Coordinates of all heavy atoms in Angstrom, one line a residue:
M146 N 0.8 -1.2 0.0 CA 0.0 0.0 0.0 C 0.9 1.2 0.0 O 1.8 1.4 0.8 CB -0.9 0.0 1.2 CG -1.8 1.2 1.3 SD -2.8 1.1 2.8 CE -4.0 -0.1 2.3
M147 N 0.5 2.1 -0.9 CA 1.4 3.3 -1.0 C 0.7 4.5 -0.3 O -0.5 4.7 -0.5 CB 1.6 3.7 -2.4 CG 2.5 2.7 -3.1 SD 2.9 3.2 -4.8 CE 3.7 4.8 -4.5
E148 N 1.5 5.2 0.4 CA 1.0 6.4 1.0 C 1.2 7.6 0.1 O 2.3 7.9 -0.3 CB 1.7 6.6 2.4 CG 1.2 7.9 3.1 CD 1.9 8.1 4.4 OE1 2.6 7.1 4.8 OE2 1.7 9.1 5.0
R149 N 0.1 8.2 -0.2 CA 0.2 9.3 -1.2 C 0.5 10.6 -0.4 O -0.3 11.0 0.5 CB -1.0 9.4 -2.0 CG -0.9 10.5 -3.1 CD -2.2 10.6 -3.8 NE -2.2 11.7 -4.7 CZ -1.9 11.6 -6.0 NH1 -1.6 10.5 -6.5 NH2 -1.8 12.7 -6.7
V150 N 1.5 11.3 -0.8 CA 1.9 12.5 -0.1 C 1.4 13.7 -0.9 O 1.7 13.9 -2.0 CB 3.4 12.6 0.2 CG1 3.7 13.9 0.8 CG2 3.9 11.4 1.0
T151 N 0.6 14.5 -0.3 CA 0.1 15.7 -1.0 C 0.5 16.9 -0.1 O 0.6 16.9 1.1 CB -1.4 15.8 -1.2 OG1 -2.0 15.7 0.1 CG2 -1.8 14.6 -2.1
N152 N 0.8 18.0 -0.8 CA 1.1 19.2 -0.1 C 0.5 20.4 -0.8 O -0.1 20.2 -1.9 CB 2.6 19.4 0.2 CG 3.3 19.4 -1.1 OD1 2.9 20.0 -2.1 ND2 4.4 18.7 -1.1
D153 N 0.6 21.6 -0.3 CA 0.0 22.7 -0.9 C 0.5 23.1 -2.2 O -0.1 23.8 -3.0 CB 0.1 23.9 0.1 CG -0.9 23.8 1.2 OD1 -1.9 23.1 1.0 OD2 -0.7 24.3 2.2
F154 N 1.7 22.7 -2.5 CA 2.4 23.1 -3.8 C 2.1 22.1 -4.9 O 1.9 22.4 -6.0 CB 3.8 23.3 -3.6 CG 4.1 24.5 -2.7 CD1 4.8 24.3 -1.5 CD2 3.8 25.8 -3.1 CE1 5.1 25.4 -0.7 CE2 4.0 26.9 -2.3 CZ 4.7 26.7 -1.1
G155 N 2.1 20.8 -4.5 CA 2.0 19.8 -5.5 C 0.7 19.0 -5.5 O 0.4 18.2 -6.3
G156 N -0.2 19.3 -4.5 CA -1.4 18.6 -4.4 C -2.4 19.0 -5.4 O -2.2 20.0 -6.1
S157 N -3.6 18.4 -5.3 CA -4.6 18.7 -6.3 C -5.3 20.0 -6.0 O -5.9 20.6 -6.8 CB -5.6 17.6 -6.3 OG -6.2 17.4 -5.0
R158 N -5.2 20.5 -4.7 CA -5.9 21.7 -4.4 C -5.3 22.9 -5.1 O -5.9 23.9 -5.5 CB -5.9 21.9 -2.9 CG -7.1 21.4 -2.2 CD -7.2 22.0 -0.9 NE -6.0 21.9 -0.1 CZ -5.7 22.6 0.9 NH1 -6.6 23.5 1.4 NH2 -4.6 22.5 1.6
A159 N -4.0 22.9 -5.2 CA -3.3 24.1 -5.7 C -2.5 23.6 -7.0 O -1.3 23.7 -7.1 CB -2.3 24.6 -4.7
A160 N -3.3 23.2 -7.9 CA -2.7 22.6 -9.1 C -2.2 23.6 -10.1 O -1.4 23.4 -10.9 CB -3.7 21.7 -9.8
R161 N -2.7 24.9 -10.0 CA -2.2 25.8 -10.9 C -0.9 26.5 -10.5 O -0.4 26.2 -9.5 CB -3.3 26.9 -11.2 CG -3.7 27.6 -10.0 CD -4.8 28.5 -10.3 NE -5.5 29.1 -9.2 CZ -6.1 30.2 -9.2 NH1 -6.2 30.9 -10.2 NH2 -6.7 30.6 -8.1
Q162 N -0.4 27.3 -11.3 CA 0.9 27.8 -11.2 C 1.1 28.6 -9.9 O 0.2 29.4 -9.5 CB 1.2 28.7 -12.4 CG 2.7 28.8 -12.6 CD 3.0 29.5 -13.9 OE1 2.1 30.1 -14.5 NE2 4.2 29.4 -14.4
I163 N 2.2 28.4 -9.3 CA 2.4 29.1 -8.1 C 2.9 30.6 -8.4 O 3.7 30.8 -9.2 CB 3.6 28.4 -7.3 CG1 3.2 27.0 -7.0 CG2 3.9 29.2 -6.0 CD1 4.3 26.2 -6.5
H164 N 2.2 31.5 -7.7 CA 2.6 32.9 -7.9 C 3.8 33.1 -7.0 O 3.7 33.1 -5.8 CB 1.5 33.8 -7.6 CG 1.7 35.2 -7.9 ND1 1.8 35.6 -9.2 CD2 1.9 36.3 -7.1 CE1 2.1 36.9 -9.2 NE2 2.1 37.3 -8.0
A165 N 4.9 33.4 -7.6 CA 6.2 33.5 -6.8 C 6.1 34.8 -6.0 O 5.9 35.9 -6.6 CB 7.4 33.5 -7.7
M166 N 6.3 34.7 -4.8 CA 6.4 35.9 -4.0 C 7.4 35.7 -2.9 O 7.6 34.6 -2.4 CB 5.0 36.2 -3.3 CG 4.0 36.7 -4.3 SD 3.4 38.3 -3.8 CE 1.9 37.8 -2.9
Y167 N 8.0 36.8 -2.6 CA 9.1 36.8 -1.6 C 8.8 37.9 -0.6 O 8.1 38.8 -0.8 CB 10.4 37.0 -2.3 CG 10.6 36.2 -3.5 CD1 10.3 36.7 -4.7 CD2 11.1 34.8 -3.4 CE1 10.5 35.9 -5.9 CE2 11.2 34.1 -4.5 CZ 10.9 34.6 -5.7 OH 11.1 33.8 -6.9
A168 N 9.5 37.8 0.5 CA 9.5 38.8 1.5 C 10.9 39.2 2.0 O 11.7 38.3 2.2 CB 8.6 38.4 2.7
T169 N 11.1 40.4 2.0 CA 12.4 40.9 2.5 C 12.3 42.0 3.5 O 11.3 42.7 3.6 CB 13.3 41.4 1.3 OG1 12.7 42.6 0.8 CG2 13.4 40.4 0.2
R170 N 13.4 42.2 4.2 CA 13.5 43.4 5.0 C 14.4 44.4 4.3 O 15.3 44.0 3.5 CB 14.1 43.1 6.4 CG 13.2 42.3 7.3 CD 13.9 42.1 8.6 NE 13.0 41.6 9.6 CZ 13.0 40.3 10.0 NH1 13.9 39.5 9.5 NH2 12.2 39.9 10.9
L171 N 14.1 45.6 4.5 CA 14.9 46.6 3.8 C 16.4 46.6 4.0 O 17.1 46.7 3.0 CB 14.4 48.0 4.1 CG 13.0 48.4 3.7 CD1 12.6 49.8 4.2 CD2 12.8 48.3 2.2
M172 N 16.8 46.3 5.2 CA 18.2 46.5 5.5 C 19.0 45.2 5.4 O 20.1 45.1 5.8 CB 18.3 47.1 6.9 CG 17.7 48.4 7.0 SD 18.3 49.6 5.8 CE 19.9 49.9 6.5
T173 N 18.3 44.1 5.0 CA 19.0 42.9 5.0 C 19.2 42.3 3.6 O 18.5 42.8 2.7 CB 18.3 41.8 5.8 OG1 17.1 41.5 5.2 CG2 18.1 42.3 7.2
E174 N 20.0 41.4 3.5 CA 20.2 40.8 2.1 C 19.7 39.3 2.1 O 20.2 38.5 1.4 CB 21.7 40.8 1.8 CG 22.2 42.2 1.7 CD 23.7 42.2 1.4 OE1 24.4 41.2 1.6 OE2 24.2 43.3 1.0
I175 N 18.7 39.1 3.0 CA 18.1 37.8 3.0 C 16.6 37.9 2.6 O 16.0 38.8 3.1 CB 18.2 37.2 4.4 CG1 19.7 36.9 4.7 CG2 17.4 35.9 4.6 CD1 20.0 36.3 6.1
Y176 N 16.2 37.0 1.8 CA 14.8 37.0 1.5 C 14.1 35.7 2.0 O 14.8 34.7 2.2 CB 14.5 37.2 0.0 CG 14.9 36.0 -0.8 CD1 13.9 35.1 -1.1 CD2 16.1 35.9 -1.4 CE1 14.2 34.0 -1.9 CE2 16.5 34.9 -2.2 CZ 15.5 33.9 -2.5 OH 15.8 32.8 -3.3
H177 N 12.8 35.8 2.2 CA 12.1 34.6 2.7 C 11.1 34.2 1.6 O 10.6 35.1 0.9 CB 11.3 34.9 4.0 CG 12.2 35.3 5.1 ND1 12.7 34.5 6.0 CD2 12.8 36.6 5.4 CE1 13.5 35.1 6.9 NE2 13.5 36.4 6.5
L178 N 10.7 33.0 1.6 CA 9.6 32.5 0.8 C 8.3 32.7 1.5 O 8.2 32.7 2.7 CB 9.8 31.1 0.4 CG 11.1 30.8 -0.3 CD1 11.3 29.3 -0.5 CD2 11.1 31.4 -1.7
V179 N 7.2 32.9 0.7 CA 6.0 33.3 1.3 C 5.0 32.2 1.2 O 4.9 31.5 0.2 CB 5.4 34.6 0.6 CG1 4.0 34.9 1.1 CG2 6.4 35.7 0.8
Q180 N 4.3 32.0 2.3 CA 3.2 30.9 2.3 C 2.1 31.4 1.4 O 1.9 32.5 1.1 CB 2.7 30.7 3.7 CG 3.7 30.1 4.6 CD 3.2 29.8 6.0 OE1 2.0 29.8 6.2 NE2 4.0 29.6 6.9
P181 N 1.3 30.4 0.9 CA 0.2 30.7 0.0 C -0.7 31.9 0.4 O -1.1 32.6 -0.5 CB -0.6 29.4 -0.1 CG 0.4 28.3 0.1 CD 1.4 28.9 1.1
G182 N -1.0 32.0 1.6 CA -1.9 33.1 2.0 C -1.2 34.5 1.9 O -1.9 35.5 1.9
G183 N 0.1 34.5 1.9 CA 0.8 35.8 1.9 C 0.9 36.5 3.2 O 1.4 37.6 3.2
H184 N 0.6 35.8 4.2 CA 0.7 36.5 5.5 C 1.9 36.1 6.3 O 2.3 36.9 7.2 CB -0.6 36.2 6.4 CG -1.8 36.7 5.8 ND1 -2.2 38.0 5.8 CD2 -2.8 36.1 5.1 CE1 -3.3 38.2 5.1 NE2 -3.7 37.0 4.7
H185 N 2.5 35.0 6.0 CA 3.6 34.5 6.7 C 4.7 34.0 5.8 O 4.3 33.5 4.7 CB 3.2 33.5 7.7 CG 2.4 34.0 8.8 ND1 1.0 34.0 8.7 CD2 2.7 34.4 10.1 CE1 0.5 34.5 9.8 NE2 1.5 34.8 10.7
T186 N 5.9 34.0 6.2 CA 6.9 33.3 5.4 C 6.9 31.8 5.7 O 6.2 31.4 6.7 CB 8.3 33.9 5.8 OG1 8.6 33.5 7.2 CG2 8.4 35.4 5.7
L187 N 7.5 31.1 4.9 CA 7.6 29.7 5.1 C 8.2 29.3 6.5 O 7.7 28.4 7.1 CB 8.5 29.0 4.0 CG 7.8 28.5 2.8 CD1 8.8 27.7 2.0 CD2 6.5 27.8 3.0
C188 N 9.1 30.1 6.9 CA 9.7 29.8 8.2 C 8.9 30.4 9.4 O 9.3 30.3 10.5 CB 11.1 30.3 8.2 SG 11.3 32.1 8.0
G189 N 7.8 31.0 9.1 CA 6.8 31.4 10.2 C 6.9 32.8 10.6 O 6.2 33.2 11.5
L190 N 7.6 33.7 9.9 CA 7.6 35.1 10.3 C 6.4 35.8 9.7 O 5.9 35.4 8.6 CB 8.9 35.7 9.7 CG 10.2 35.2 10.3 CD1 11.4 35.8 9.6 CD2 10.3 35.5 11.8
R191 N 6.0 36.8 10.4 CA 4.8 37.5 9.9 C 5.2 38.6 8.9 O 6.2 39.3 9.1 CB 4.2 38.2 11.1 CG 2.8 38.6 10.8 CD 2.0 38.8 12.1 NE 0.9 39.7 11.8 CZ 0.3 40.4 12.7 NH1 0.7 40.4 14.0 NH2 -0.7 41.2 12.4
I192 N 4.4 38.8 7.9 CA 4.7 39.7 6.9 C 3.8 40.9 7.0 O 2.6 40.8 7.2 CB 4.5 39.1 5.5 CG1 5.5 37.9 5.3 CG2 4.8 40.1 4.4 CD1 5.2 37.1 4.2
S193 N 4.4 42.1 7.0 CA 3.6 43.3 7.1 C 2.9 43.6 5.8 O 3.5 43.5 4.7 CB 4.5 44.5 7.5 OG 3.8 45.7 7.4
R194 N 1.7 44.0 5.8 CA 1.0 44.5 4.6 C 1.0 46.0 4.5 O 0.5 46.6 3.6 CB -0.4 44.0 4.6 CG -0.6 42.5 4.6 CD -0.1 42.0 3.3 NE -0.7 40.7 3.0 CZ -1.0 40.3 1.7 NH1 -0.7 41.1 0.7 NH2 -1.5 39.2 1.5
V195 N 1.6 46.6 5.5 CA 1.6 48.1 5.5 C 2.8 48.6 4.9 O 3.9 48.7 5.6 CB 1.5 48.6 7.0 CG1 1.3 50.1 7.0 CG2 0.3 48.0 7.7
T196 N 2.8 48.9 3.6 CA 4.0 49.3 2.9 C 4.4 50.7 3.2 O 5.4 51.2 2.8 CB 3.8 49.0 1.4 OG1 2.7 49.7 1.0 CG2 3.7 47.6 1.2
S197 N 3.5 51.5 3.8 CA 3.8 52.9 4.0 C 4.8 53.0 5.2 O 5.5 54.0 5.3 CB 2.5 53.7 4.3 OG 1.9 53.2 5.4
E198 N 4.8 52.1 6.1 CA 5.7 52.1 7.1 C 7.1 51.7 6.7 O 7.3 50.6 6.2 CB 5.3 51.2 8.3 CG 4.2 51.8 9.1 CD 3.9 50.9 10.3 OE1 4.9 50.6 11.1 OE2 2.8 50.5 10.5
R199 N 8.0 52.5 6.8 CA 9.4 52.2 6.3 C 10.3 51.7 7.5 O 11.3 52.3 7.7 CB 10.0 53.3 5.6 CG 9.2 53.7 4.4 CD 10.0 54.7 3.6 NE 9.1 55.3 2.6 CZ 9.5 56.5 2.0 NH1 10.7 57.0 2.3 NH2 8.7 57.0 1.2
K200 N 9.8 50.8 8.2 CA 10.7 50.2 9.2 C 11.6 49.2 8.6 O 11.1 48.3 7.9 CB 9.8 49.6 10.3 CG 9.0 50.7 11.1 CD 8.2 50.0 12.2 CE 7.4 51.1 12.9 NZ 6.5 50.4 13.9
S201 N 12.8 49.3 9.0 CA 13.7 48.4 8.4 C 13.6 47.0 8.9 O 14.1 46.0 8.3 CB 15.2 48.8 8.7 OG 15.4 48.9 10.0
N202 N 12.9 46.8 10.0 CA 12.7 45.4 10.5 C 11.4 44.8 10.1 O 11.0 43.8 10.7 CB 12.9 45.4 12.1 CG 11.8 46.3 12.7 OD1 11.1 47.1 12.0 ND2 11.7 46.2 14.0
T203 N 10.7 45.4 9.2 CA 9.5 44.9 8.8 C 9.6 44.1 7.5 O 10.2 44.5 6.5 CB 8.5 46.0 8.5 OG1 8.4 46.8 9.7 CG2 7.1 45.5 8.1
L204 N 9.1 42.9 7.5 CA 9.1 42.1 6.3 C 8.0 42.6 5.3 O 6.9 42.8 5.7 CB 8.8 40.6 6.7 CG 9.9 39.8 7.1 CD1 9.4 38.4 7.6 CD2 10.9 39.6 6.0
Q205 N 8.4 42.8 4.1 CA 7.4 43.2 3.1 C 7.5 42.3 1.9 O 8.5 41.8 1.5 CB 7.7 44.7 2.8 CG 7.5 45.6 4.0 CD 7.6 47.0 3.6 OE1 8.1 47.4 2.6 NE2 7.2 47.9 4.5
L206 N 6.4 42.2 1.3 CA 6.3 41.4 0.1 C 6.9 42.1 -1.1 O 6.7 43.3 -1.4 CB 4.8 41.1 -0.3 CG 4.1 40.2 0.7 CD1 2.6 40.2 0.3 CD2 4.6 38.8 0.6
V207 N 7.6 41.3 -1.9 CA 8.2 41.8 -3.2 C 7.9 40.7 -4.2 O 7.9 39.5 -3.9 CB 9.7 42.1 -3.0 CG1 9.9 43.3 -2.2 CG2 10.4 40.9 -2.6
N208 N 7.8 41.1 -5.4 CA 7.6 40.2 -6.5 C 8.9 39.9 -7.2 O 9.1 38.9 -7.9 CB 6.6 40.7 -7.5 CG 5.2 40.5 -7.0 OD1 4.8 39.5 -6.5 ND2 4.4 41.6 -7.1
E209 N 9.8 40.8 -7.1 CA 11.1 40.6 -7.8 C 12.2 40.9 -6.7 O 12.1 41.7 -5.9 CB 11.3 41.6 -8.9 CG 10.4 41.4 -10.0 CD 10.6 42.4 -11.2 OE1 11.7 43.1 -11.1 OE2 9.8 42.4 -12.1
L210 N 13.2 40.0 -6.9 CA 14.3 40.1 -5.9 C 15.4 40.9 -6.4 O 15.8 40.9 -7.6 CB 14.8 38.7 -5.6 CG 13.8 37.8 -4.8 CD1 14.4 36.4 -4.8 CD2 13.6 38.4 -3.4
P211 N 16.0 41.7 -5.5 CA 17.3 42.3 -5.9 C 18.3 41.2 -6.2 O 18.2 40.1 -5.8 CB 17.7 43.1 -4.6 CG 16.4 43.3 -3.9 CD 15.6 42.1 -4.2
A212 N 19.3 41.6 -6.9 CA 20.3 40.6 -7.3 C 21.1 39.9 -6.2 O 21.4 38.8 -6.3 CB 21.2 41.3 -8.3
K213 N 21.3 40.7 -5.2 CA 22.3 40.2 -4.3 C 21.8 39.5 -3.0 O 22.6 39.2 -2.1 CB 23.2 41.4 -3.8 CG 24.1 41.9 -4.9 CD 25.0 42.9 -4.3 CE 24.3 44.2 -4.0 NZ 25.2 45.3 -3.7
V214 N 20.5 39.3 -3.0 CA 20.0 38.7 -1.8 C 20.1 37.2 -1.7 O 20.2 36.5 -2.8 CB 18.5 39.1 -1.6 CG1 18.4 40.6 -1.4 CG2 17.7 38.6 -2.7
T215 N 20.1 36.7 -0.5 CA 20.2 35.2 -0.3 C 19.0 34.7 0.4 O 18.3 35.4 1.1 CB 21.4 35.0 0.6 OG1 22.5 35.8 0.2 CG2 21.8 33.5 0.7
I216 N 18.6 33.5 0.0 CA 17.4 32.9 0.6 C 17.7 32.6 2.1 O 18.8 32.2 2.5 CB 17.0 31.6 -0.2 CG1 15.7 31.1 0.3 CG2 18.1 30.6 -0.1 CD1 15.1 30.0 -0.5
C217 N 16.7 32.8 2.9 CA 16.7 32.4 4.3 C 16.9 30.9 4.4 O 16.2 30.1 3.7 CB 15.4 32.8 4.9 SG 15.0 31.9 6.4
K218 N 17.8 30.5 5.2 CA 18.1 29.1 5.2 C 17.0 28.2 5.8 O 16.8 27.1 5.4 CB 19.4 28.8 6.0 CG 19.4 29.2 7.5 CD 20.7 28.8 8.2 CE 21.8 29.8 7.8 NZ 22.9 29.5 8.7
H219 N 16.2 28.8 6.6 CA 15.0 28.1 7.1 C 14.0 27.9 6.0 O 13.4 26.8 5.9 CB 14.4 28.8 8.3 CG 15.3 29.1 9.4 ND1 15.8 28.1 10.2 CD2 15.9 30.2 9.9 CE1 16.7 28.6 11.1 NE2 16.8 29.9 10.9
C220 N 13.7 28.9 5.3 CA 12.8 28.8 4.2 C 13.3 27.8 3.2 O 12.5 27.0 2.6 CB 12.6 30.2 3.5 SG 11.6 31.3 4.5
E221 N 14.6 27.9 2.9 CA 15.1 27.0 1.9 C 14.9 25.5 2.3 O 14.6 24.7 1.5 CB 16.6 27.3 1.8 CG 17.3 26.4 0.7 CD 18.7 26.8 0.6 OE1 19.4 27.0 1.6 OE2 19.2 26.8 -0.5
R222 N 15.2 25.3 3.6 CA 15.1 23.9 4.1 C 13.6 23.4 4.0 O 13.3 22.3 3.6 CB 15.6 23.9 5.5 CG 15.5 22.5 6.1 CD 16.3 22.5 7.4 NE 15.8 23.5 8.4 CZ 14.8 23.3 9.2 NH1 14.2 22.1 9.2 NH2 14.4 24.2 10.0
I223 N 12.7 24.3 4.4 CA 11.3 23.9 4.4 C 10.8 23.7 3.0 O 10.1 22.7 2.7 CB 10.4 25.0 5.1 CG1 10.8 25.1 6.6 CG2 9.0 24.7 4.9 CD1 10.3 26.3 7.3
Q224 N 11.2 24.6 2.1 CA 10.8 24.4 0.7 C 11.4 23.1 0.1 O 10.8 22.4 -0.6 CB 11.3 25.6 -0.1 CG 10.8 25.5 -1.6 CD 11.5 26.4 -2.5 OE1 12.7 26.6 -2.4 NE2 10.8 27.1 -3.3
G225 N 12.6 22.8 0.6 CA 13.2 21.6 0.1 C 12.5 20.3 0.6 O 12.3 19.4 -0.2
Q226 N 11.9 20.4 1.8 CA 11.1 19.3 2.2 C 9.8 19.1 1.4 O 9.4 18.0 1.1 CB 10.7 19.5 3.7 CG 12.0 19.4 4.6 CD 11.6 19.8 6.0 OE1 10.5 20.3 6.3 NE2 12.6 19.7 6.9
E227 N 9.2 20.3 1.1 CA 8.0 20.2 0.3 C 8.2 19.8 -1.1 O 7.3 19.3 -1.8 CB 7.3 21.6 0.4 CG 6.8 21.8 1.7 CD 6.1 23.2 1.8 OE1 6.2 24.0 0.9 OE2 5.5 23.4 2.8
N228 N 9.4 20.0 -1.6 CA 9.7 19.7 -3.0 C 10.5 18.4 -3.1 O 11.1 18.1 -4.1 CB 10.5 20.8 -3.6 CG 9.6 22.0 -3.9 OD1 8.4 21.9 -3.9 ND2 10.2 23.1 -4.1
N229 N 10.5 17.6 -2.1 CA 11.3 16.4 -2.1 C 10.9 15.4 -3.1 O 11.5 14.4 -3.3 CB 11.5 15.9 -0.7 CG 10.2 15.4 -0.1 OD1 9.2 15.4 -0.8 ND2 10.3 15.0 1.1
L230 N 9.7 15.6 -3.7 CA 9.3 14.7 -4.8 C 10.3 14.8 -6.0 O 10.5 13.9 -6.7 CB 7.9 15.1 -5.3 CG 6.8 14.8 -4.3 CD1 5.5 15.3 -4.9 CD2 6.7 13.3 -4.0
A231 N 10.8 16.0 -6.1 CA 11.6 16.3 -7.3 C 13.1 16.0 -7.0 O 14.0 16.6 -7.5 CB 11.4 17.7 -7.7
A232 N 13.3 15.1 -6.0 CA 14.7 14.7 -5.7 C 15.5 15.9 -5.2 O 15.0 17.0 -4.7 CB 15.4 14.1 -6.8
D233 N 16.7 15.8 -5.2 CA 17.6 16.9 -4.7 C 17.9 17.9 -5.8 O 18.6 17.6 -6.7 CB 18.9 16.2 -4.2 CG 19.7 17.2 -3.4 OD1 19.3 18.3 -3.3 OD2 20.8 16.8 -3.0
L234 N 17.4 19.1 -5.6 CA 17.5 20.1 -6.6 C 18.7 21.0 -6.3 O 18.6 22.2 -6.5 CB 16.3 20.9 -6.7 CG 15.0 20.1 -7.1 CD1 13.8 21.0 -7.2 CD2 15.2 19.4 -8.4
R235 N 19.7 20.4 -5.9 CA 20.9 21.3 -5.5 C 21.6 21.8 -6.7 O 22.3 22.8 -6.7 CB 21.8 20.5 -4.6 CG 22.7 21.4 -3.8 CD 23.6 20.6 -3.0 NE 22.9 19.9 -1.9 CZ 23.3 18.9 -1.2 NH1 24.5 18.4 -1.4 NH2 22.6 18.4 -0.2
G236 N 21.4 21.1 -7.9 CA 22.1 21.5 -9.1 C 21.5 22.8 -9.7 O 20.5 23.3 -9.2
S237 N 22.1 23.2 -10.8 CA 21.6 24.5 -11.4 C 20.6 24.2 -12.5 O 20.0 25.2 -12.9 CB 22.8 25.2 -11.9 OG 23.5 24.4 -12.8
N238 N 20.5 23.1 -13.0 CA 19.6 22.8 -14.1 C 18.3 22.1 -13.6 O 18.0 21.0 -14.1 CB 20.3 22.1 -15.2 CG 20.9 20.8 -14.7 OD1 20.9 20.6 -13.5 ND2 21.5 20.0 -15.6
A239 N 17.7 22.7 -12.6 CA 16.5 22.0 -12.0 C 15.3 22.7 -12.6 O 14.2 22.8 -11.9 CB 16.5 22.1 -10.5
D240 N 15.3 23.3 -13.7 CA 14.3 24.1 -14.3 C 13.3 23.2 -15.1 O 13.5 22.9 -16.2 CB 14.8 25.2 -15.2 CG 13.8 26.2 -15.5 OD1 12.7 26.1 -14.9 OD2 14.0 27.0 -16.4
L241 N 12.2 22.8 -14.4 CA 11.3 21.9 -15.1 C 10.2 22.7 -15.7 O 9.2 22.9 -15.1 CB 10.7 20.9 -14.1 CG 11.8 19.9 -13.6 CD1 11.2 19.1 -12.5 CD2 12.4 19.1 -14.7
Ligands
ZN412 ZN1 12.6 32.5 6.2

């Protein structure tokens, strides 16, 4: 008997294309991945929707990343777990 693993990214509920969104703080060079609802990062941080506040410690949503930022290692690990169907995507040609 096979246990079928479904998750929000690959399951039947969210079968359409994922809208890529990220969250960054102004003063850091780390970005986080955003959960489907857009309220929290994958690693559980809360994202501010108030873009008029320019607090450097506030996570804000962005659709495009600056060139020099690095993924949050917690988000990366969590995303890796969710994508583990696609084996280890550590290489550079994982573009399916
Ligand atoms: Zn994170």
Side-chain angles (χ1 to χ4, degrees):
M146 178 180 288
M147 291 186 61
E148 181 178 349
R149 186 184 171 97
V150 178
T151 58
N152 58 45
D153 284 334
F154 291 117
S157 56
R158 268 198 311 161
R161 56 184 169 157
Q162 202 170 15
I163 302 166
H164 189 68
M166 286 238 264
Y167 313 95
T169 67
R170 290 186 170 102
L171 291 180
M172 302 301 289
T173 65
E174 295 177 346
I175 291 177
Y176 71 90
H177 302 264
L178 300 172
V179 176
Q180 292 184 16
H184 297 286
H185 294 85
T186 65
L187 271 190
C188 62
L190 297 174
R191 197 163 156 201
I192 298 165
S193 173
R194 296 295 206 145
V195 186
T196 54
S197 59
E198 282 187 54
R199 293 192 200 165
K200 292 179 180 176
S201 60
N202 61 347
T203 302
L204 277 172
Q205 295 186 346
L206 290 172
V207 292
N208 285 311
E209 293 183 9
L210 291 172
K213 289 187 288 188
V214 295
T215 312
I216 187 170
C217 160
K218 65 175 75 168
H219 302 291
C220 286
E221 182 180 40
R222 183 169 54 85
I223 294 167
Q224 186 194 41
Q226 290 170 357
E227 290 180 348
N228 287 341
N229 62 7
L230 292 176
D233 188 3
L234 299 180
R235 199 179 292 162
S237 57
N238 53 356
D240 191 9
L241 295 173

